[in-house]
Amino acid sequence: MKIWFKYLSKTQKIILFIAGGLFLSIILSTVLIPSQKKSSNIKFTVENSIREIAPLLGVTGKALARELGLDIRIKKGRPLKQYGIKQEKLDHAVEHLKSHRPADRKYIVFAALVLFSGIFLLRLGKPDNLPPKLRQSSFPRTPLILTALFSIIFAGFIFGKSPNPMESSVKIFKALAGLYSDLNAKLLAFLFFFALGIIFNKIVCGWACPFGALQEIIYSVTNSQKFKFRPPFRLSNSIRVILFAAMIILISGIILNKPGFVIFHYINVFNIFNFDFDLFSVIVTLTIILLLSFFTYRPFCTFICPFGLLSWISEKLSIVKIKVNQSKCVECGLCSRYCPTDAIGAKVKDKSVVPDCYSCGRCLNICPKDAITYSYKKPEEVSNEK
Ligand code: SF4
Ligand code: SF4
């Protein structure tokens, strides 16, 4: 960090202070300015029907029925006690549905995190005055770790689990299955995260998603490669694809005849940000993922997350991303050793299938030939400027 700061040019230092100041003031203002929204604290009882309760919670009758463990096709006008629902179960379902209400200010937090990280990688990751021999020791880890901490605190624990990129991709299918009435709003929420991913290549996963950040910090506890392993991309991606397909098939009710069944509900690790540990399957998934994160990079993102899959598919369309100047690269393999995924190795070899790049920046300054850039320009154009 010291070396990096020392060799920043004057312009870079000004950019750092303006971007950092803006970032902090935006994040703090989302917390300090009081919210105009009043939360409803109406008490529901089992004398009420689904038709009476659901609209007040902002969900469809099908969603409430599913939450209560009932068939989503049941009649919605009868008192819940007629279906054997106990008050405790109703209270729990209401709390859970309320926890899915998106905190709108969190979108601002996500945008601020992505903007700061984008500016950092684009303009500050490589100090202008850095002598070539110091390049390899100059990429600072502190900004990534600090941003990850901000994400966990603000986009995680302070504003709760909702919204988040993973949820945004699942909610579209829930809306299509009739569990939400506002399909357009769900599409917009997804497009927000998807657009952030496309502009800065998955940076929303790499620097802004709170669960991604949690895994990032755990992985960074030790840098020793002795303890790290990279699962084959074909295996991790196949599991991610199978889970995604299973979600679509199960939610539609084609298999199991339980329309509205959401597989990710049972492994929703984002529940940690609401301290919601009611489902045993969530506790097991969380424990496995957090333990695995010490040894492998972002296991939840690479094996499970539907947004991880969709943003990987769209990486080719990304505007600003890690690029390799093939004419400078001597294929020494140094960048591959530092990359926590197989992404840079595949980029160097110009392969058609490139594993997820989370724009973590670890490879940015590592190349002895300075062949790696994070830019919207073609790598050759960036090199010609120097
Ligand atoms: S892939 Fe990882 S970082 Fe991206 S949304 Fe999913 S959990 Fe978050
Ligand atoms: S080290 Fe790997 S994951 Fe990180 S930015 Fe470079 S290519 Fe992407």
Side-chain angles (χ1 to χ4, degrees):
M1 179 83 177
K2 267 190 205 159
I3 300 178
W4 166 77
F5 190 76
K6 185 174 166 194
Y7 290 103
L8 287 179
S9 64
K10 208 171 161 193
T11 319
Q12 284 182 308
K13 282 182 182 158
I14 293 171
I15 294 174
L16 176 65
F17 286 115
I18 293 178
L22 252 175
F23 170 71
L24 283 176
S25 29
I26 292 173
I27 298 262
L28 291 177
S29 66
T30 58
V31 183
L32 297 176
I33 298 172
S35 168
Q36 303 297 316
K37 257 193 187 173
K38 294 205 173 72
S39 63
S40 76
N41 279 321
I42 306 166
K43 177 80 181 154
F44 302 108
T45 76
V46 290
E47 300 290 340
N48 295 120
S49 66
I50 288 181
R51 195 163 290 148
E52 288 165 338
I53 301 173
L56 296 171
L57 291 173
V59 297
T60 62
K62 286 181 180 178
L64 181 55
R66 183 195 71 113
E67 205 58 44
L68 291 165
L70 300 169
D71 190 315
I72 64 172
R73 294 161 290 194
I74 56 155
K75 294 212 161 54
K76 312 285 187 309
R78 295 182 183 165
L80 284 169
K81 65 178 183 188
Q82 282 191 16
Y83 294 112
I85 300 296
K86 301 269 180 282
Q87 187 62 42
E88 195 188 352
K89 186 159 193 175
L90 173 61
D91 291 343
H92 182 261
V94 168
E95 272 319 301
H96 186 251
L97 288 171
K98 278 184 179 171
S99 77
H100 273 284
R101 278 188 193 161
D104 293 343
R105 292 164 180 222
K106 218 172 124 176
Y107 290 109
I108 301 174
V109 175
F110 275 117
L113 283 161
V114 165
L115 202 65
F116 175 76
S117 329
I119 292 174
F120 179 82
L121 286 175
L122 258 173
R123 194 60 191 89
L124 306 174
K126 289 186 177 192
D128 286 346
N129 301 330
L130 191 73
K133 64 176 190 302
L134 286 181
R135 195 183 302 127
Q136 288 174 19
S137 51
S138 74
F139 187 75
R141 304 298 325 284
T142 318
L144 175 59
I145 299 296
L146 275 181
T147 316
L149 277 174
F150 267 99
S151 166
I152 293 168
I153 295 169
F154 289 91
F157 290 109
I158 290 186
F159 286 111
K161 70 176 177 188
S162 205
N164 66 63
M166 170 186 149
E167 181 191 84
S168 74
S169 25
V170 176
K171 278 189 171 173
I172 293 178
F173 296 95
K174 284 169 93 172
L176 286 171
L179 300 180
Y180 291 109
S181 53
D182 48 350
L183 176 61
N184 288 347
K186 303 301 177 235
L187 263 173
L188 264 179
F190 172 74
L191 286 177
F192 168 79
F193 289 113
F194 198 64
L196 292 183
I198 288 209
I199 297 169
F200 289 114
N201 192 72
K202 232 172 152 64
I203 214 171
V204 66
C205 291
W207 294 63
C209 169
F211 197 76
L214 194 54
Q215 295 170 92
E216 181 75 48
I217 288 187
I218 296 175
Y219 182 82
S220 305
V221 167
T222 167
N223 271 334
S224 168
Q225 292 304 308
K226 255 196 300 181
F227 303 108
K228 309 286 189 195
F229 71 94
R230 288 181 214 162
F233 179 66
R234 270 193 197 170
L235 172 73
S236 59
N237 209 33
S238 303
I239 294 175
R240 210 164 49 168
V241 170
I242 290 168
L243 280 171
F244 191 79
M247 169 189 72
I248 296 174
I249 293 168
L250 290 171
I251 215 168
S252 65
I254 300 170
I255 294 180
L256 294 186
N257 195 25
K258 271 180 83 178
F261 180 89
V262 185
I263 194 168
F264 291 111
H265 173 69
Y266 299 92
I267 48 175
N268 190 351
V269 287
F270 286 83
N271 281 7
I272 193 173
F273 300 115
N274 283 30
F275 301 103
D276 174 0
F277 303 113
D278 288 346
L279 287 176
F280 183 64
S281 54
V282 168
I283 299 177
V284 173
T285 315
L286 253 174
T287 312
I288 295 175
I289 293 293
L290 295 183
L291 280 176
L292 266 179
S293 300
F294 281 104
F295 308 105
T296 189
Y297 194 60
R298 297 171 177 257
F300 185 79
C301 313
T302 47
F303 281 95
I304 299 175
C305 185
F307 186 82
L309 175 67
L310 296 174
S311 54
W312 168 71
I313 293 172
S314 65
E315 273 193 48
K316 281 211 184 318
L317 304 175
S318 290
I319 301 165
V320 188
K321 58 182 162 191
I322 289 285
K323 293 175 182 173
V324 179
N325 184 340
Q326 305 290 347
S327 62
K328 278 183 162 188
C329 170
V330 290
E331 294 201 29
C332 66
L334 197 61
C335 53
S336 305
R337 270 192 265 150
Y338 281 81
C339 177
T341 76
D342 288 325
I344 198 70
K347 281 176 191 260
V348 160
K349 294 202 165 69
D350 213 6
K351 287 189 178 171
S352 53
V353 177
V354 178
D356 303 56
C357 164
Y358 292 88
S359 295
C360 70
R362 284 176 176 85
C363 59
L364 199 58
N365 289 352
I366 215 66
C367 175
K369 301 287 174 193
D370 201 16
I372 300 173
T373 49
Y374 184 80
S375 176
Y376 56 91
K377 297 180 182 171
K378 288 183 180 157
E380 299 76 22
E381 290 173 15
V382 180
S383 314
N384 292 341
E385 285 173 5
K386 302 223 160 170

